[in-house]
């Protein structure tokens, strides 16, 4: 009788745990997700109300640098699901203040400089009345398209900063040259740059740049894969696939990389839902990190929503990460914790904590907004 009682209690406990697990994996209500996004964004907009102010880290940088460009990518995504007038005005006025230009002018080939162009194009698409909104970014990209060099994206972040611009211009103009040059740049970085490219197809992850190619290793002897660096590529693939037509000759190549990365990222998620700054070595400045985690949520949610990723397999993963960020990284006042500051590897901008303020807050917020808007769209 005693054994039956124990078995019954065990079964009840197992059932209870199973229900808790299902509940933890349930989609949050859209209202709840939106409230988190509004809170985080309102904090940032209030703190950085003057969008014209440059940054003063090491040297003076204007506010159209890549960090702010990524933020506005996120804000435009939020505007897409919640079109508040102040969101649009905050974005448009920023772009107009910079005269729809880039930090180093139209002759720049630097992807970081070009990042702001993604937002300029998005603003133009909302109200395509002034060709001047596109003149500078198109001139810069056309210069790259019309020259033979393909080694511009020598650091992995560059793929997200610039690659979606080519996809957007290709879609807008209908000209194949943008898609072709985009592939040439991407495939060179992937397969050729450094010793043998910056992508390890066997492990489905990217090195940040050639400095981290083998024989460089993490303290535990594994390859060094930086979380946010891989997040940039993952997000770029999403933003490109969202633009290019089904008939684009390299669409399946991008999809294949997206699927392989998804499997690799699934395998290295932390138990608490976050990802470490070092994807394969939790001993090397291990700990929660929000920006990389948000980019992975963004990609996985988009993949599930668009039928590229199996819902049963990936929905629990991305929701575990999203719930972890909203519960453990978002402060009551909207400040976003656990964001690693700028750098290129796990040791940079440490320590990364709940209360530490990164040298640039904007891109972390942008990544979070991208993630949340995709979660919001899930049904």
């Amino acid at each position: 009788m005693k054994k039956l009682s124990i078995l019954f209690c065990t079964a009840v406990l197992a059932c209870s745990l199973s229900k808790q697990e299902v509940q933890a994996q349930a989609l949050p209500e859209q209202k709840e997700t939106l409230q988190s996004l509004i809170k985080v964004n309102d904090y940032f907009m209030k703190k950085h109300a003057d969008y014209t102010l440059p940054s003063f880290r090491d040297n003076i940088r204007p506010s159209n640098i890549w960090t702010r460009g990524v933020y506005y990518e996120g804000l435009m995504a939020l505007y897409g699901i919640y079109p508040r007038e102040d969101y649009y005005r905050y974005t448009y006025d920023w772009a107009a203040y910079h005269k729809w230009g880039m930090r180093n002018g139209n002759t720049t080939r630097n992807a970081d400089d070009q990042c702001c162009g993604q937002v300029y194009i998005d603003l133009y698409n909302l109200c395509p009345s002034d060709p001047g909104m596109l003149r500078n970014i198109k001139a810069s990209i056309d210069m790259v398209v019309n020259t033979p060099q393909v080694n511009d994206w020598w650091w992995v972040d560059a793929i997200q900063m610039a690659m979606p611009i080519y996809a957007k211009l290709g879609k807008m103009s209908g000209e194949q040259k943008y898609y072709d040059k985009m592939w040439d740049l991407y495939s060179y970085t992937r397969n050729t740059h450094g010793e043998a490219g910056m992508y390890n197809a066997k492990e489905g992850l990217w090195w940040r740049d050639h400095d981290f190619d083998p024989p460089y290793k993490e303290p535990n002897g594994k390859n060094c894969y930086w979380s946010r660096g891989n997040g940039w590529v993952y997000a770029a693939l999403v933003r490109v696939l969202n633009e290019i037509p089904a008939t684009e000759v390299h669409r399946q190549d991008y999809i294949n990389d997206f699927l392989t990365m998804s499997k690799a990222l699934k395998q290295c998620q932390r138990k608490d839902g976050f990802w470490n700054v070092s994807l394969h070595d939790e001993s090397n400045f291990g700990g929660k990190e929000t920006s990389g985690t948000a980019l992975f949520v963004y990609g996985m949610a988009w993949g599930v929503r668009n039928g590229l990723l199996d819902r049963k397999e990936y929905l629990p993963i991305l929701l575990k990460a999203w719930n972890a960020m909203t519960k453990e990284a978002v402060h009551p006042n909207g400040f976003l914790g656990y964001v690693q500051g700028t750098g290129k590897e796990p040791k940079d901008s440490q320590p990364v904590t709940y209360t530490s303020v990164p040298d640039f807050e904007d891109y972390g917020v942008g990544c979070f907004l991208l993630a949340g808007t995709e979660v919001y769209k899930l049904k």
Side-chain angles (χ1 to χ4, degrees):
M1 189 68 179
K2 188 174 182 181
K3 288 183 178 180
L4 288 175
S5 178
I6 292 173
L7 289 172
F8 175 77
C9 290
T10 302
V12 170
L13 178 61
C15 181
S16 176
L17 290 173
S18 178
K19 288 181 179 179
Q20 290 176 7
E21 184 178 357
V22 171
Q23 290 173 352
Q25 295 173 1
L27 270 174
E29 293 186 6
Q30 285 186 319
K31 182 179 179 180
E32 178 185 343
T33 300
L34 187 58
Q35 286 175 342
S36 295
L37 295 172
I38 293 171
K39 179 193 294 186
V40 170
N41 185 65
D42 281 357
Y43 172 86
F44 180 85
M45 281 182 60
K46 183 178 180 180
K47 183 174 181 178
H48 299 277
D50 188 349
Y51 49 79
T52 71
L53 291 178
S55 64
F56 294 92
R57 177 183 175 268
D58 299 332
N59 54 50
I60 298 175
R61 295 177 175 85
S63 65
N64 60 348
I65 60 171
W66 70 268
T67 65
R68 196 59 57 92
V70 171
Y71 162 72
Y72 280 112
E73 289 173 36
L75 184 57
M76 289 298 289
L78 176 57
Y79 180 79
I81 63 170
Y82 191 60
R84 263 174 44 176
E85 176 62 23
D86 58 335
Y87 294 169
Y88 176 82
R89 183 51 54 189
Y90 187 64
T91 308
Y92 183 92
D93 289 350
W94 162 79
Y97 170 76
H98 289 291
K99 299 180 180 179
W100 309 91
M102 292 151 288
R103 175 173 57 157
N104 290 307
N106 294 352
T107 58
T108 183
R109 301 180 67 98
N110 186 281
D112 286 348
D113 292 342
Q114 296 167 337
C115 179
C116 56
Q118 296 190 47
V119 182
Y120 299 164
I121 295 171
D122 289 345
L123 286 167
Y124 176 83
N125 285 334
L126 285 175
C127 187
S129 58
D130 180 8
M133 299 163 72
L134 302 179
R135 185 175 296 116
N136 296 312
I137 185 59
K138 189 175 183 300
S140 179
I141 299 301
D142 282 349
M143 179 196 59
V144 178
V145 169
N146 294 325
T147 52
Q149 297 96 318
V150 293
N151 61 349
D152 295 79
W153 301 345
W154 55 265
W155 72 111
V156 78
D157 317 36
I159 295 175
Q160 197 288 139
M161 303 306 155
M163 188 173 170
I165 301 173
Y166 292 79
K168 289 174 182 289
L169 289 176
K171 181 180 181 179
M172 179 184 296
S173 68
E175 295 185 76
Q176 183 64 32
K177 65 180 183 179
Y178 294 107
Y179 298 145
D180 291 343
K181 190 66 175 187
M182 177 174 70
W183 172 254
D184 290 344
L185 291 160
Y186 176 78
S187 60
Y188 181 88
T189 301
R190 183 190 190 277
N191 305 323
T192 306
H193 186 79
E195 294 298 322
M198 287 162 53
Y199 179 61
N200 185 342
K202 292 182 179 179
E203 295 191 301
L205 295 170
W206 296 68
W207 292 289
R208 195 271 179 180
D209 57 52
H210 69 87
D211 289 340
F212 299 94
D213 287 353
Y216 186 96
K217 296 292 182 182
E218 288 281 60
N220 68 352
K222 296 183 179 181
N223 287 320
C224 179
Y225 300 121
W226 181 41
S227 177
R228 190 165 65 238
N230 278 271
W232 291 136
V233 179
Y234 200 54
L237 290 170
V238 164
R239 295 176 71 76
V240 166
L241 289 168
N242 216 34
E243 301 287 344
I244 62 176
T247 56
E248 212 294 301
V249 64
H250 292 293
R251 182 177 178 85
Q252 192 58 50
D253 294 310
Y254 298 132
I255 290 175
N256 291 342
D257 284 355
F258 175 76
L259 295 177
T260 303
M261 286 191 72
S262 298
K263 292 178 182 178
L265 293 169
K266 173 190 172 183
Q267 295 171 359
C268 53
Q269 186 181 30
R270 291 164 52 97
K271 291 182 179 179
D272 60 14
F274 285 87
W275 276 265
N276 291 305
V277 292
S278 178
L279 293 177
H280 278 188
D281 189 354
E282 62 183 16
S283 70
N284 188 22
F285 296 95
K288 305 168 185 175
E289 202 286 307
T290 300
S291 64
T293 298
L295 291 168
F296 301 148
V297 170
Y298 171 56
M300 288 183 185
W302 183 90
V304 168
R305 190 168 65 82
N306 286 275
L308 290 180
L309 297 179
D310 181 75
R311 185 181 181 92
K312 290 183 179 179
E313 182 178 359
Y314 284 93
L315 186 63
I317 296 170
L318 72 91
L319 288 181
K320 187 176 183 180
W322 175 251
N323 290 333
M325 288 191 293
T326 56
K327 293 176 182 177
E328 300 178 42
V330 177
H331 288 228
N333 67 352
F335 172 73
L336 193 62
Y338 296 113
V339 174
Q340 184 185 21
T342 56
K344 65 177 186 177
E345 58 181 309
K347 72 176 179 62
D348 291 333
S349 296
Q350 293 288 346
V352 177
T353 68
Y354 177 68
T355 58
S356 58
V357 180
D359 49 2
F360 292 89
E361 294 183 62
D362 39 15
Y363 61 84
V365 174
C367 295
F368 183 82
L369 298 181
L370 288 171
T373 53
E374 282 300 320
V375 171
Y376 178 91
K377 294 175 185 177
L378 288 169
K379 297 179 180 178

